Amino acid sequence: MIELRHLRTLLALRDTGSLVEAAERVHLTQSALSHQLKDLENRIDSALFVRKSRPVAFTRTGTRLLALAEQVLPQVRAAERDVARLAGTEHGRLHMAIECHSCFQWLMPTVDHFRDHWPEVEIDIPTGHHFDPLPALAREQLDLVITADPQPIEGIHYAPLFRYEGLLAVARQHALARQRCVHPEMLGDQTLITYPVEQSRLDVFTQFLRPAGVAPAEIRTAELTIMMMQLVASGRGVCALPSWALTEYLERDYVSAVPLGEGGMWSTLYAALRENTREAPWMQDFLRTARDTSFAVLSGIRPADGDAAVSA
């Protein structure tokens, strides 16, 4: 009567608070998700939640099934891991690099959860490396790279983790703070603060400024997000960051944020891995854990559609 997909859908509905976002989370259309929930309600002859409530208000029946989902789904995941171990495929190495200065907010909880379930997999995040991560991945010096800039390299697969919006952080008293959105030409007289990486790896250049033929008046770099926020708050520049990296500063009313362009500037974050390790159970579990943890700890992100295999 009750299937695992129903339990996963209910958890997605609770976590997102809306049918639209829950449908994205479980990779269904809103119509298909509504049909699935209605089918379950017909099976059990009881409503699961109050229609047109936001956030979604669950009935006593819905609350009971949510409790079941919280109990059963972790046990299913644990059983899947045990089956992989019994098949003798548990050993592995996960040395990773991160081409994302603000990714540690969700990556560290991901690694902690993964290590609890796969203690036999060797995990390392080397620091201070002086090589390009993606070629190092192809040479088997690394096993996984977190990147928003997939390159066509033979034997490398890019598994999308989630989509995120880049926002422009400005001082609360800045003139741009009053804009509904920012257009490229509005940054022509601004100091743009960025991480110290190549402009070709920064979405604000590749997706926003360069297509419009615009360059900022000045570029200033900072190593840490908190340093960037201090500069922005004091009116010494503006910066484009993923929405999740700005959440705590916006909640404290430290800075303001404005969308980049009419439709916003959206990008996809990927986990790059070698094709020969793609189907390893521990690697698949790491990717699933990364997605689950990201949606649990980050705000403003969206599910990525499907897989993106890029090869030479």
Side-chain angles (χ1 to χ4, degrees), residues 90-137:
E90 72 277 13
H91 298 292
R93 186 193 76 169
L94 190 56
H95 290 188
M96 68 182 80
I98 305 139
E99 291 188 336
C100 171
H101 282 68
S102 53
C103 282
F104 284 93
Q105 186 175 349
W106 61 267
L107 185 60
M108 291 302 98
T110 295
V111 171
D112 288 342
H113 289 313
F114 180 79
R115 186 181 285 113
D116 288 343
H117 297 295
W118 296 90
E120 61 274 50
V121 175
E122 178 190 344
I123 303 175
D124 188 26
I125 305 178
T127 59
H129 50 74
H130 301 285
F131 51 80
D132 289 334
L134 290 174
L137 175 65

Side-chain angles (χ1 to χ4, degrees), residues 99-106 148 162-169 193 195 201-204 225 228-229 239-250 255 257-258 260 265-269 298-301:
E99 291 188 336
C100 171
H101 282 68
S102 53
C103 282
F104 284 93
Q105 186 175 349
W106 61 267
F162 55 81
R163 288 178 55 75
Y164 63 93
E165 183 180 13
L167 298 174
L168 188 74
I193 304 166
Y195 293 116
R201 290 172 50 196
L202 295 171
D203 295 338
V204 67
T225 303
M228 299 172 78
M229 291 298 97
C239 73
L241 288 174
S243 58
W244 82 76
L246 293 172
T247 299
E248 65 174 299
Y249 303 101
L250 295 175
V255 298
V258 190
L260 289 157
M265 185 182 73
W266 287 85
S267 303
T268 300
L269 196 67
L298 301 179
S299 60
I301 63 174

Side-chain angles (χ1 to χ4, degrees), residues 44-253:
I44 62 178
D45 193 26
S46 180
L48 295 167
F49 61 97
V50 180
R51 261 59 179 183
K52 297 183 180 179
S53 60
R54 187 173 178 92
V56 174
F58 287 90
T59 64
R60 292 178 64 183
T61 299
T63 301
R64 178 63 184 89
L65 291 185
L66 281 172
L68 176 66
E70 291 176 334
Q71 179 182 11
V72 169
L73 293 180
Q75 293 184 23
V76 171
R77 287 284 296 276
E80 291 171 344
R81 295 183 185 107
D82 290 342
V83 168
R85 290 184 175 88
L86 292 171
T89 57
E90 72 277 13
H91 298 292
R93 186 193 76 169
L94 190 56
H95 290 188
M96 68 182 80
I98 305 139
E99 291 188 336
C100 171
H101 282 68
S102 53
C103 282
F104 284 93
Q105 186 175 349
W106 61 267
L107 185 60
M108 291 302 98
T110 295
V111 171
D112 288 342
H113 289 313
F114 180 79
R115 186 181 285 113
D116 288 343
H117 297 295
W118 296 90
E120 61 274 50
V121 175
E122 178 190 344
I123 303 175
D124 188 26
I125 305 178
T127 59
H129 50 74
H130 301 285
F131 51 80
D132 289 334
L134 290 174
L137 175 65
R139 295 193 300 268
E140 300 192 11
Q141 291 176 270
L142 295 170
D143 306 296
L144 186 143
V145 176
I146 304 297
T147 181
D149 185 27
Q151 302 294 323
I153 300 176
E154 185 175 0
I156 300 301
H157 172 79
Y158 295 87
L161 298 174
F162 55 81
R163 288 178 55 75
Y164 63 93
E165 183 180 13
L167 298 174
L168 188 74
V170 301
R172 291 188 296 114
Q173 68 275 16
H174 198 291
L176 292 178
R178 298 188 293 272
Q179 298 294 322
R180 182 175 56 84
C181 67
V182 173
H183 297 286
E185 59 273 14
M186 294 179 179
L187 299 187
D189 60 351
Q190 299 293 318
T191 295
L192 183 64
I193 304 166
T194 73
Y195 293 116
V197 300
E198 299 88 347
Q199 293 182 11
S200 60
R201 290 172 50 196
L202 295 171
D203 295 338
V204 67
F205 287 101
T206 60
Q207 293 191 41
F208 190 67
L209 293 174
R210 287 182 180 174
V214 175
E218 184 180 348
I219 297 174
R220 182 171 182 172
T221 62
E223 290 278 353
L224 303 175
T225 303
I226 189 171
M227 295 171 59
M228 299 172 78
M229 291 298 97
Q230 290 173 345
L231 292 170
V232 169
S234 61
R236 286 178 282 178
V238 301
C239 73
L241 288 174
S243 58
W244 82 76
L246 293 172
T247 299
E248 65 174 299
Y249 303 101
L250 295 175
E251 290 176 347
R252 290 160 45 196
D253 204 24

